[in-house]
mmCIF file of all heavy atoms in Angstrom:
data_model
loop_
_atom_site.group_PDB
_atom_site.id
_atom_site.type_symbol
_atom_site.label_atom_id
_atom_site.label_comp_id
_atom_site.label_asym_id
_atom_site.label_seq_id
_atom_site.Cartn_x
_atom_site.Cartn_y
_atom_site.Cartn_z
ATOM 1 N N GLY A 239 -6.517 3.429 -13.791
ATOM 2 C CA GLY A 239 -7.192 4.560 -14.426
ATOM 3 C C GLY A 239 -6.581 5.904 -14.132
ATOM 4 O O GLY A 239 -7.116 6.942 -14.538
ATOM 5 N N ALA A 240 -5.467 5.931 -13.420
ATOM 6 C CA ALA A 240 -4.763 7.175 -13.087
ATOM 7 C C ALA A 240 -5.704 8.183 -12.441
ATOM 8 O O ALA A 240 -5.665 9.373 -12.729
ATOM 9 C CB ALA A 240 -4.102 7.777 -14.332
ATOM 10 N N THR A 241 -6.562 7.691 -11.544
ATOM 11 C CA THR A 241 -7.558 8.557 -10.923
ATOM 12 C C THR A 241 -6.967 9.466 -9.859
ATOM 13 O O THR A 241 -7.641 10.379 -9.382
ATOM 14 C CB THR A 241 -8.671 7.709 -10.310
ATOM 15 O OG1 THR A 241 -8.079 6.761 -9.392
ATOM 16 C CG2 THR A 241 -9.430 6.947 -11.386
ATOM 17 N N SER A 242 -5.737 9.201 -9.469
ATOM 18 C CA SER A 242 -5.099 9.974 -8.401
ATOM 19 C C SER A 242 -3.780 10.546 -8.908
ATOM 20 O O SER A 242 -3.201 10.035 -9.874
ATOM 21 C CB SER A 242 -4.848 9.067 -7.193
ATOM 22 O OG SER A 242 -4.152 9.744 -6.176
ATOM 23 N N LEU A 243 -3.304 11.578 -8.272
ATOM 24 C CA LEU A 243 -1.998 12.128 -8.626
ATOM 25 C C LEU A 243 -0.920 11.089 -8.339
ATOM 26 O O LEU A 243 -0.912 10.476 -7.260
ATOM 27 C CB LEU A 243 -1.727 13.392 -7.822
ATOM 28 C CG LEU A 243 -2.543 14.625 -8.196
ATOM 29 C CD1 LEU A 243 -2.315 15.732 -7.158
ATOM 30 C CD2 LEU A 243 -2.179 15.117 -9.592
ATOM 31 N N PRO A 244 0.004 10.863 -9.262
ATOM 32 C CA PRO A 244 1.032 9.839 -9.027
ATOM 33 C C PRO A 244 2.028 10.206 -7.954
ATOM 34 O O PRO A 244 2.786 9.355 -7.481
ATOM 35 C CB PRO A 244 1.717 9.733 -10.393
ATOM 36 C CG PRO A 244 1.471 11.038 -11.061
ATOM 37 C CD PRO A 244 0.114 11.487 -10.583
ATOM 38 N N SER A 245 2.032 11.470 -7.549
ATOM 39 C CA SER A 245 3.037 11.918 -6.582
ATOM 40 C C SER A 245 2.588 11.760 -5.133
ATOM 41 O O SER A 245 3.200 12.355 -4.237
ATOM 42 C CB SER A 245 3.358 13.386 -6.841
ATOM 43 O OG SER A 245 2.184 14.190 -6.813
ATOM 44 N N LYS A 246 1.558 10.980 -4.885
ATOM 45 C CA LYS A 246 1.092 10.777 -3.512
ATOM 46 C C LYS A 246 1.833 9.624 -2.876
ATOM 47 O O LYS A 246 1.847 8.513 -3.406
ATOM 48 C CB LYS A 246 -0.411 10.499 -3.496
ATOM 49 C CG LYS A 246 -1.298 11.697 -3.773
ATOM 50 C CD LYS A 246 -2.759 11.352 -3.581
ATOM 51 C CE LYS A 246 -3.660 12.567 -3.771
ATOM 52 N NZ LYS A 246 -5.083 12.220 -3.563
ATOM 53 N N PRO A 247 2.418 9.817 -1.693
ATOM 54 C CA PRO A 247 3.056 8.695 -0.996
ATOM 55 C C PRO A 247 2.012 7.708 -0.523
ATOM 56 O O PRO A 247 0.845 8.059 -0.305
ATOM 57 C CB PRO A 247 3.782 9.365 0.147
ATOM 58 C CG PRO A 247 3.037 10.634 0.381
ATOM 59 C CD PRO A 247 2.518 11.076 -0.939
ATOM 60 N N TRP A 248 2.437 6.462 -0.359
ATOM 61 C CA TRP A 248 1.658 5.360 0.194
ATOM 62 C C TRP A 248 0.576 4.844 -0.753
ATOM 63 O O TRP A 248 0.316 3.639 -0.790
ATOM 64 C CB TRP A 248 0.996 5.753 1.532
ATOM 65 C CG TRP A 248 1.958 5.936 2.632
ATOM 66 C CD1 TRP A 248 2.332 7.099 3.227
ATOM 67 C CD2 TRP A 248 2.716 4.909 3.293
ATOM 68 N NE1 TRP A 248 3.282 6.882 4.197
ATOM 69 C CE2 TRP A 248 3.524 5.539 4.259
ATOM 70 C CE3 TRP A 248 2.791 3.532 3.134
ATOM 71 C CZ2 TRP A 248 4.387 4.830 5.077
ATOM 72 C CZ3 TRP A 248 3.648 2.827 3.967
ATOM 73 C CH2 TRP A 248 4.439 3.465 4.917
ATOM 74 N N GLU A 249 -0.080 5.717 -1.490
ATOM 75 C CA GLU A 249 -1.275 5.313 -2.221
ATOM 76 C C GLU A 249 -0.964 4.200 -3.226
ATOM 77 O O GLU A 249 -0.006 4.282 -3.994
ATOM 78 C CB GLU A 249 -1.889 6.514 -2.929
ATOM 79 C CG GLU A 249 -3.328 6.317 -3.319
ATOM 80 C CD GLU A 249 -3.987 7.608 -3.760
ATOM 81 O OE1 GLU A 249 -3.399 8.309 -4.599
ATOM 82 O OE2 GLU A 249 -5.087 7.909 -3.258
ATOM 83 N N TYR A 250 -1.785 3.161 -3.251
ATOM 84 C CA TYR A 250 -1.659 2.002 -4.139
ATOM 85 C C TYR A 250 -0.253 1.386 -4.050
ATOM 86 O O TYR A 250 0.382 1.150 -5.064
ATOM 87 C CB TYR A 250 -2.005 2.392 -5.579
ATOM 88 C CG TYR A 250 -3.384 2.986 -5.719
ATOM 89 C CD1 TYR A 250 -3.567 4.341 -5.966
ATOM 90 C CD2 TYR A 250 -4.507 2.197 -5.559
ATOM 91 C CE1 TYR A 250 -4.850 4.885 -6.064
ATOM 92 C CE2 TYR A 250 -5.780 2.727 -5.647
ATOM 93 C CZ TYR A 250 -5.942 4.072 -5.897
ATOM 94 O OH TYR A 250 -7.198 4.613 -5.973
ATOM 95 N N SER A 251 0.172 1.164 -2.848
ATOM 96 C CA SER A 251 1.480 0.554 -2.634
ATOM 97 C C SER A 251 1.338 -0.712 -1.795
ATOM 98 O O SER A 251 0.300 -0.942 -1.156
ATOM 99 C CB SER A 251 2.431 1.534 -1.926
ATOM 100 O OG SER A 251 2.030 1.745 -0.583
ATOM 101 N N VAL A 252 2.362 -1.540 -1.832
ATOM 102 C CA VAL A 252 2.432 -2.711 -0.973
ATOM 103 C C VAL A 252 3.885 -2.876 -0.542
ATOM 104 O O VAL A 252 4.797 -2.790 -1.361
ATOM 105 C CB VAL A 252 1.877 -3.970 -1.640
ATOM 106 C CG1 VAL A 252 2.564 -4.251 -2.968
ATOM 107 C CG2 VAL A 252 1.996 -5.189 -0.736
ATOM 108 N N VAL A 253 4.094 -3.062 0.752
ATOM 109 C CA VAL A 253 5.405 -3.365 1.303
ATOM 110 C C VAL A 253 5.415 -4.851 1.627
ATOM 111 O O VAL A 253 4.543 -5.349 2.356
ATOM 112 C CB VAL A 253 5.701 -2.533 2.569
ATOM 113 C CG1 VAL A 253 7.123 -2.797 3.052
ATOM 114 C CG2 VAL A 253 5.509 -1.046 2.282
ATOM 115 N N LEU A 254 6.408 -5.563 1.088
ATOM 116 C CA LEU A 254 6.453 -7.012 1.198
ATOM 117 C C LEU A 254 7.653 -7.465 2.018
ATOM 118 O O LEU A 254 8.768 -6.932 1.841
ATOM 119 C CB LEU A 254 6.548 -7.663 -0.195
ATOM 120 C CG LEU A 254 5.511 -7.339 -1.258
ATOM 121 C CD1 LEU A 254 5.928 -6.089 -2.052
ATOM 122 C CD2 LEU A 254 5.354 -8.503 -2.226
ATOM 123 N N THR A 255 7.448 -8.445 2.883
ATOM 124 C CA THR A 255 8.515 -9.211 3.496
ATOM 125 C C THR A 255 8.191 -10.678 3.276
ATOM 126 O O THR A 255 7.171 -11.015 2.659
ATOM 127 C CB THR A 255 8.638 -8.912 4.998
ATOM 128 O OG1 THR A 255 7.502 -9.449 5.683
ATOM 129 C CG2 THR A 255 8.772 -7.428 5.266
ATOM 130 N N GLU A 256 9.043 -11.560 3.784
ATOM 131 C CA GLU A 256 8.756 -12.990 3.635
ATOM 132 C C GLU A 256 7.409 -13.354 4.256
ATOM 133 O O GLU A 256 6.689 -14.203 3.735
ATOM 134 C CB GLU A 256 9.859 -13.819 4.302
ATOM 135 C CG GLU A 256 11.246 -13.583 3.743
ATOM 136 C CD GLU A 256 11.449 -14.185 2.363
ATOM 137 O OE1 GLU A 256 10.628 -15.036 1.979
ATOM 138 O OE2 GLU A 256 12.418 -13.807 1.683
ATOM 139 N N ARG A 257 7.050 -12.693 5.328
ATOM 140 C CA ARG A 257 5.810 -13.021 6.043
ATOM 141 C C ARG A 257 4.674 -12.036 5.761
ATOM 142 O O ARG A 257 3.517 -12.454 5.602
ATOM 143 C CB ARG A 257 6.071 -13.095 7.547
ATOM 144 C CG ARG A 257 4.818 -13.415 8.369
ATOM 145 C CD ARG A 257 5.094 -13.397 9.870
ATOM 146 N NE ARG A 257 3.877 -13.663 10.620
ATOM 147 C CZ ARG A 257 3.778 -13.621 11.959
ATOM 148 N NH1 ARG A 257 4.852 -13.293 12.683
ATOM 149 N NH2 ARG A 257 2.617 -13.860 12.553
ATOM 150 N N TRP A 258 4.985 -10.753 5.702
ATOM 151 C CA TRP A 258 3.944 -9.731 5.737
ATOM 152 C C TRP A 258 3.708 -9.050 4.383
ATOM 153 O O TRP A 258 4.604 -8.955 3.559
ATOM 154 C CB TRP A 258 4.302 -8.653 6.770
ATOM 155 C CG TRP A 258 4.411 -9.135 8.176
ATOM 156 C CD1 TRP A 258 5.560 -9.273 8.903
ATOM 157 C CD2 TRP A 258 3.346 -9.539 9.034
ATOM 158 N NE1 TRP A 258 5.295 -9.739 10.161
ATOM 159 C CE2 TRP A 258 3.913 -9.916 10.266
ATOM 160 C CE3 TRP A 258 1.963 -9.630 8.873
ATOM 161 C CZ2 TRP A 258 3.154 -10.352 11.338
ATOM 162 C CZ3 TRP A 258 1.196 -10.085 9.936
ATOM 163 C CH2 TRP A 258 1.798 -10.446 11.157
ATOM 164 N N ARG A 259 2.476 -8.544 4.220
ATOM 165 C CA ARG A 259 2.126 -7.644 3.134
ATOM 166 C C ARG A 259 1.380 -6.462 3.760
ATOM 167 O O ARG A 259 0.295 -6.643 4.331
ATOM 168 C CB ARG A 259 1.228 -8.329 2.116
ATOM 169 C CG ARG A 259 1.804 -9.588 1.470
ATOM 170 C CD ARG A 259 2.973 -9.275 0.537
ATOM 171 N NE ARG A 259 3.364 -10.441 -0.237
ATOM 172 C CZ ARG A 259 4.353 -11.253 0.083
ATOM 173 N NH1 ARG A 259 5.068 -11.035 1.204
ATOM 174 N NH2 ARG A 259 4.653 -12.294 -0.665
ATOM 175 N N LEU A 260 1.961 -5.272 3.625
ATOM 176 C CA LEU A 260 1.290 -4.053 4.062
ATOM 177 C C LEU A 260 0.695 -3.402 2.814
ATOM 178 O O LEU A 260 1.418 -2.834 1.996
ATOM 179 C CB LEU A 260 2.253 -3.092 4.762
ATOM 180 C CG LEU A 260 1.671 -1.755 5.207
ATOM 181 C CD1 LEU A 260 0.529 -1.952 6.197
ATOM 182 C CD2 LEU A 260 2.755 -0.844 5.787
ATOM 183 N N VAL A 261 -0.612 -3.516 2.666
ATOM 184 C CA VAL A 261 -1.303 -3.094 1.452
ATOM 185 C C VAL A 261 -1.969 -1.737 1.687
ATOM 186 O O VAL A 261 -2.703 -1.557 2.678
ATOM 187 C CB VAL A 261 -2.365 -4.134 1.013
ATOM 188 C CG1 VAL A 261 -3.144 -3.638 -0.200
ATOM 189 C CG2 VAL A 261 -1.694 -5.465 0.712
ATOM 190 N N ASN A 262 -1.723 -0.816 0.808
ATOM 191 C CA ASN A 262 -2.326 0.516 0.868
ATOM 192 C C ASN A 262 -3.182 0.707 -0.375
ATOM 193 O O ASN A 262 -2.730 1.179 -1.424
ATOM 194 C CB ASN A 262 -1.255 1.598 0.940
ATOM 195 C CG ASN A 262 -0.436 1.500 2.209
ATOM 196 O OD1 ASN A 262 -0.801 2.048 3.230
ATOM 197 N ND2 ASN A 262 0.664 0.760 2.130
ATOM 198 N N SER A 263 -4.438 0.308 -0.285
ATOM 199 C CA SER A 263 -5.376 0.467 -1.394
ATOM 200 C C SER A 263 -6.443 1.440 -0.930
ATOM 201 O O SER A 263 -6.181 2.621 -0.756
ATOM 202 C CB SER A 263 -5.956 -0.904 -1.800
ATOM 203 O OG SER A 263 -6.759 -0.771 -2.934
ATOM 204 N N ASP A 264 -7.680 0.977 -0.716
ATOM 205 C CA ASP A 264 -8.691 1.876 -0.157
ATOM 206 C C ASP A 264 -8.366 2.253 1.284
ATOM 207 O O ASP A 264 -8.719 3.319 1.768
ATOM 208 C CB ASP A 264 -10.060 1.220 -0.232
ATOM 209 C CG ASP A 264 -10.517 0.998 -1.655
ATOM 210 O OD1 ASP A 264 -10.105 1.777 -2.521
ATOM 211 O OD2 ASP A 264 -11.283 0.048 -1.898
ATOM 212 N N GLN A 265 -7.700 1.339 1.974
ATOM 213 C CA GLN A 265 -7.251 1.603 3.336
ATOM 214 C C GLN A 265 -5.967 0.804 3.554
ATOM 215 O O GLN A 265 -5.585 -0.021 2.739
ATOM 216 C CB GLN A 265 -8.311 1.174 4.339
ATOM 217 C CG GLN A 265 -8.651 -0.311 4.271
ATOM 218 C CD GLN A 265 -9.781 -0.693 5.222
ATOM 219 O OE1 GLN A 265 -10.528 0.154 5.673
ATOM 220 N NE2 GLN A 265 -9.893 -1.970 5.522
ATOM 221 N N GLN A 266 -5.277 1.064 4.641
ATOM 222 C CA GLN A 266 -4.047 0.356 4.946
ATOM 223 C C GLN A 266 -4.376 -0.923 5.721
ATOM 224 O O GLN A 266 -5.036 -0.878 6.748
ATOM 225 C CB GLN A 266 -3.096 1.239 5.743
ATOM 226 C CG GLN A 266 -1.709 0.657 5.883
ATOM 227 C CD GLN A 266 -0.738 1.678 6.471
ATOM 228 O OE1 GLN A 266 -0.667 1.836 7.674
ATOM 229 N NE2 GLN A 266 0.002 2.352 5.604
ATOM 230 N N SER A 267 -3.909 -2.055 5.183
ATOM 231 C CA SER A 267 -4.203 -3.358 5.784
ATOM 232 C C SER A 267 -2.932 -4.185 5.853
ATOM 233 O O SER A 267 -2.056 -4.083 5.001
ATOM 234 C CB SER A 267 -5.266 -4.096 4.973
ATOM 235 O OG SER A 267 -6.430 -3.317 4.787
ATOM 236 N N LEU A 268 -2.863 -5.060 6.851
ATOM 237 C CA LEU A 268 -1.689 -5.907 7.080
ATOM 238 C C LEU A 268 -2.108 -7.379 7.004
ATOM 239 O O LEU A 268 -3.070 -7.780 7.681
ATOM 240 C CB LEU A 268 -1.080 -5.613 8.456
ATOM 241 C CG LEU A 268 0.144 -6.422 8.853
ATOM 242 C CD1 LEU A 268 1.351 -6.039 7.992
ATOM 243 C CD2 LEU A 268 0.457 -6.218 10.341
#
């Protein structure tokens, strides 16, 4: 819904490795 400015770092991102997922949605979770 584009509720946030697109220029914000981290927000609505996920960093993936073979084992891990660092999810940044409502909060940062591993």
Side-chain angles (χ1 to χ4, degrees):
T241 55
S242 176
L243 289 171
S245 56
K246 286 187 177 181
W248 291 109
E249 199 169 49
Y250 303 108
S251 69
V252 55
V253 184
L254 305 87
T255 69
E256 301 287 343
R257 180 183 178 185
W258 298 108
R259 302 290 190 263
L260 177 60
V261 176
N262 296 273
S263 185
D264 295 332
Q265 60 184 19
Q266 191 170 83
S267 306
L268 179 69

